[in-house]
């Protein structure tokens, strides 16, 4: 039971808004000590895992390209494209991105799009422009909500598309674990069962995007 | 053959450049902290495999000390004026879009090429390697046509990264915390607790506990991969599969997706929820989570119902 101290530290740390890196380190140390490990062993275990997971942080290499393009007006161009497209409403734009992201993830192309490479330079400014086209009096809070929904749409598309792909990490993890219990299951069988949820995720999120679009319009009309 | 090592070198050089440019930026009151932080990350990318486990651990402690002491910050201003950006956008608009699309296009093409033409690059890391190559091509094409000052991409890239700040390594930190939790057996304890909370003899109760447990434990760990083995061992295997004869494929597949609903609702899934908020300059760091809860909760309900309908 004592090892749960780490979870308590994490939750308390986030609630009290301490620097998350400090909270994580404190949690790791407390958990390790509670489990009877010595401090050097905990630091080494953390260091090994940090080194093994470096691939998570290589996505930042796209920033020089994004920075260059933004300095030359990429975000403005993305916005002007939306202004020129008559039918491109906020809901339709984000729903199209949702289905595109789901479809790409479903064929294993999870790292092709993402927050640094597509959401910040393209999807978020386009969504903002589409919201603005419908309601020129968009407030700062509404802009913030539109941008948050652009990021959310990327996540929903990724999560509920990727498990349809056979060779994704989570499918391999499930297959491996079930095998240790003596159940040999084809990856295809697991990925097929991801399809009903993928459809439900699309329907629910697309519905919420439509409501977002209406909400952005109606508040402006009332003001 | 190209391996992930190539991308680590690329990332290491980029972080090293960010550190050097950072220290030269006198408008940033925290330039030394920033430079040390990105410099250590450059060291991790370039030499992490030679530092040893304890050495890497000390490196992480130094990163945490810099961030924890509040020594990371961004310089005010430095944005290209909006009217200049607008004029440039009018001149180069479609070209900019084309260059932006080079990265995903190369990532896409490379993924297929490296998978089906063996020997060129490590097929297991095809997309990440292609992403690195795509960045180089996009940078080359953009520089050739736009002819910006040589260091402009690095300077602008550094400013974007400074805006993200210490959150840039949060995902990697949380993944490492997961490793320590695994070592300490945290999962088994949580699994036993959730397992003991299930009402006896109720199939739906067991399904509910499994689905909610996956979502809850994923929220705590920030990762459905960490929750899955624990919840399968505590509830999925003994109750749903063995006792109630559920289809293992359905239990596993839909259980994992219930966990993904938890990922949408937790700051612990930093790279999906906190990092984009920083990247998009949102005032509320939890803005993305707020936008996702309305999708995650109904979808979690749907998953639990699907599990109940399809597995038995």
């Amino acid at each position: 039971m004592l090892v749960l101290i780490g979870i308590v530290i994490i939750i308390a740390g986030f609630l009290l808004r301490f620097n998350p890196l400090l909270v994580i380190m404190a949690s790791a140390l407390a958990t390790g000590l509670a489990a009877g490990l010595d401090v050097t062993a905990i630091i080494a275990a953390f260091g090994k895992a940090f080194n093994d997971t470096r691939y998570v942080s290589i996505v930042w290499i796209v920033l020089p390209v994004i920075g260059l393009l933004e300095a030359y007006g990429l975000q403005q161009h993305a916005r002007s494209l939306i202004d020129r497209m008559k039918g491109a409403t906020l809901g339709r734009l984000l729903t199209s991105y949702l289905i595109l992201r789901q479809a790409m993830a479903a064929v294993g192309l999870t790292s092709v799009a993402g927050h640094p490479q597509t959401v910040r330079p393209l999807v978020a400014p386009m969504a903002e422009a589409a919201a603005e086209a419908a309601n020129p009096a968009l407030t700062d809070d509404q802009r913030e909500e539109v941008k948050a929904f652009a990021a959310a749409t990327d996540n929903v598309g990724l999560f509920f598309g990727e498990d349809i792909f056979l060779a994704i990490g989570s499918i391999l993890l499930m297959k491996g674990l079930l095998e240790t219990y003596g159940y040999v299951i084809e990856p295809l069988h697991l990925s097929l069962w991801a399809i009903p949820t993928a459809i439900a995720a699309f329907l629910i999120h697309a519905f919420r995007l439509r409501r977002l679009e209406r909400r952005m319009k109606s508040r402006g009309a009332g003001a | 053959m190209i391996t992930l090592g190539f991308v680590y070198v690329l990332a290491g050089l980029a972080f090293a450049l960010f550190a050097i440019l950072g220290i030269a930026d006198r408008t940033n009151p925290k330039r030394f902290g920033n430079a040390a932080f990105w410099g250590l990350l450059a060291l991790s990318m370039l030499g992490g495999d030679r530092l040893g486990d304890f050495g890497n651990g000390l490196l992480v402690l130094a990163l945490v000390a810099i961030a924890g002491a509040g020594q990371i910050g961004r310089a005010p201003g430095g944005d290209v004026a909006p009217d200049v950006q607008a004029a440039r956008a009018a001149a180069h608009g479609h070209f900019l879009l084309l260059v932006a699309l080079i990265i995903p296009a190369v990532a896409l093409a490379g993924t297929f090429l490296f998978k089906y033409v063996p020997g060129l690059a490590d097929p297991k890391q095809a997309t990440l390697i292609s992403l690195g190559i795509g960045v180089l091509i996009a940078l080359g094409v953009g520089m050739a046509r736009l002819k910006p000052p040589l260091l402009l991409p690095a300077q602008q890239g550094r400013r974007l990264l400074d805006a993200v700040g210490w959150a840039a390594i949060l995902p990697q930190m949380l993944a490492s915390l997961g490793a320590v939790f695994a070592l300490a057996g945290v999962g088994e304890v949580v699994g036993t607790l959730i397992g003991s909370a299930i009402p006896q003899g109720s199939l739906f109760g067991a399904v509910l506990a499994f689905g909610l447990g996956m979502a809850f434990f994923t929220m705590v760990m920030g990762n459905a991969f960490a929750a899955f083995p624990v919840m399968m061992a505590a509830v999925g295997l003994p109750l749903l599969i063995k006792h109630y004869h559920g289809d293992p494929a359905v239990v596993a597949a839909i259980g994992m997706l219930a966990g993904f609903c938890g990922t949408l609702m937790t700051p612990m899934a930093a790279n999906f929820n906190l990092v984009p908020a920083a990247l998009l300059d949102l005032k509320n760091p939890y803005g993305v989570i707020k936008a996702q809860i309305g999708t995650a909760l109904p979808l979690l309900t749907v998953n639990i119902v699907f599990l109940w309908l399809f597995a038995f």
Side-chain angles (χ1 to χ4, degrees):
Chain A
M1 285 299 280
L2 207 54
V3 294
L4 297 184
I5 184 83
I7 293 178
V8 176
I9 292 176
I10 287 286
I11 294 170
F14 268 111
L15 288 179
L16 298 173
R17 307 225 169 174
F18 282 113
N19 180 291
L21 299 190
L22 271 181
V23 175
I24 291 167
M25 209 65 223
S27 170
L29 286 172
T31 304
L33 288 173
L37 300 168
D38 66 70
V39 175
T40 50
I42 302 166
I43 292 173
F46 203 94
K48 180 181 176 358
F50 191 79
N51 195 50
D52 289 344
T53 52
R54 280 177 298 167
Y55 65 89
V56 177
S57 298
I58 59 181
V59 67
W60 302 119
I61 59 175
V62 305
L63 291 183
V65 178
I66 303 301
L68 169 68
L69 298 177
E70 287 192 1
Y72 278 80
L74 177 61
Q75 291 201 351
Q76 277 81 350
H77 183 66
R79 285 190 197 114
S80 72
L81 279 180
I82 290 296
D83 292 338
R84 271 179 262 168
M85 279 188 266
K86 282 279 163 261
T89 65
L90 176 64
R92 279 186 209 163
L93 173 81
L94 288 183
T95 306
S96 311
Y97 185 67
L98 176 65
I99 200 153
L100 187 74
R101 187 82 162 111
Q102 270 193 310
M104 284 201 299
V107 292
L109 300 165
T110 50
S111 305
V112 168
H115 298 291
Q117 58 272 54
T118 48
V119 177
R120 175 178 159 118
L122 295 172
V123 181
M126 283 177 151
E128 214 181 318
E132 208 164 26
N135 172 11
L138 212 59
T139 66
D140 280 353
D141 285 347
Q142 286 177 314
R143 270 175 217 287
E144 172 129 342
E145 196 180 354
V146 167
K147 286 200 265 181
F149 262 89
T153 301
D154 189 272
N155 286 337
V156 173
L158 172 67
F159 293 1
F160 301 100
E162 65 171 7
D163 263 23
I164 298 173
F165 184 60
L166 301 178
I168 202 80
S170 55
I171 295 279
L172 300 178
L173 173 74
M174 286 185 242
K175 180 175 161 53
L177 189 81
L178 287 171
E179 257 171 31
T180 64
Y181 293 141
Y183 299 96
V184 179
I185 286 170
E186 283 299 309
L188 180 68
H189 204 62
L190 291 166
S191 65
L192 284 178
W193 284 110
I195 293 175
T197 303
I199 295 170
F202 176 79
L203 293 176
I204 292 170
H205 199 69
F207 173 73
R208 293 192 63 227
L209 290 172
R210 255 185 69 179
R211 287 190 36 197
L212 174 77
E213 181 179 318
R214 291 200 182 152
R215 205 157 64 236
M216 291 299 133
K217 270 187 211 157
S218 64
R219 261 189 227 159
Chain B
M1 187 164 92
I2 311 173
T3 65
L4 203 51
F6 155 76
V7 195
Y8 286 148
V9 170
L10 215 58
L13 295 177
F15 283 125
L17 201 53
F18 293 158
I20 294 166
L21 294 174
I23 214 162
D25 182 0
R26 288 173 185 281
T27 61
N28 183 358
K30 295 187 173 162
R31 63 192 169 118
F32 292 109
N34 279 27
F37 197 81
W38 305 130
L40 282 169
L41 216 53
L43 175 66
S44 162
M45 288 288 173
L46 293 171
D49 291 331
R50 263 160 281 164
L51 290 176
D53 294 346
F54 190 67
N56 277 305
L58 292 181
L59 188 148
V60 177
L61 284 179
L63 288 171
V64 172
I66 296 167
Q71 290 306 307
I72 296 186
R74 57 197 284 200
D79 283 319
V80 177
D83 53 326
V84 175
Q85 282 191 37
R88 285 171 168 177
H92 302 288
H94 288 307
F95 175 75
L96 299 172
L97 193 64
L98 189 80
V99 177
L101 294 176
I102 285 179
I103 299 176
V106 171
L108 191 79
T111 305
F112 287 112
L113 179 72
F114 294 150
K115 285 228 166 92
Y116 297 109
V117 185
L120 293 177
D122 181 355
K124 277 195 285 248
Q125 306 296 349
T127 308
L128 288 176
I129 293 168
S130 311
L131 184 76
I133 295 171
V135 166
L136 289 180
I137 294 175
L139 205 52
V141 172
M143 296 290 281
R145 162 88 177 256
L146 300 172
K147 300 193 175 61
L150 188 62
L151 284 176
L152 182 105
Q155 282 289 14
Q156 291 295 327
R158 174 185 68 88
R159 292 192 51 256
L160 288 176
L161 191 60
D162 281 352
V164 176
W166 49 258
I169 64 155
L170 201 48
Q172 210 182 329
M173 288 290 291
L174 286 161
S176 310
L177 176 66
V180 174
F181 275 12
L183 200 64
V186 172
E188 288 71 15
V189 178
V190 173
T192 317
L193 279 180
I194 293 176
S196 65
I198 296 175
Q200 290 291 315
S202 159
L203 169 63
F204 188 74
V207 168
L208 196 64
F210 183 64
L212 292 179
M214 272 302 299
F216 168 77
F217 197 37
T218 299
M219 288 177 73
V220 169
M221 298 295 291
N223 187 339
F225 286 23
F228 182 73
V230 173
M231 289 307 299
M232 279 299 280
V235 184
L237 187 79
L239 276 175
L240 299 186
I241 296 176
K242 288 214 168 125
H243 188 73
Y244 292 110
H245 307 290
D247 180 341
V250 182
V251 171
I254 300 182
M256 183 69 94
L257 293 164
F260 287 0
C261 295
T263 316
L264 292 173
M265 300 188 283
T266 174
M268 296 290 285
N271 43 340
F272 301 112
N273 297 337
L274 298 187
V275 168
L279 208 52
L280 294 172
D281 270 327
L282 299 189
K283 280 173 293 191
N284 181 359
Y286 303 124
V288 179
I289 297 175
K290 217 176 106 194
Q292 285 170 171
I293 287 177
T295 300
L297 287 178
L299 195 55
L300 180 59
T301 314
V302 168
N303 273 315
I304 290 170
V305 171
F306 278 179
L307 192 60
W308 190 47
L309 289 178
F310 298 150
F312 302 96

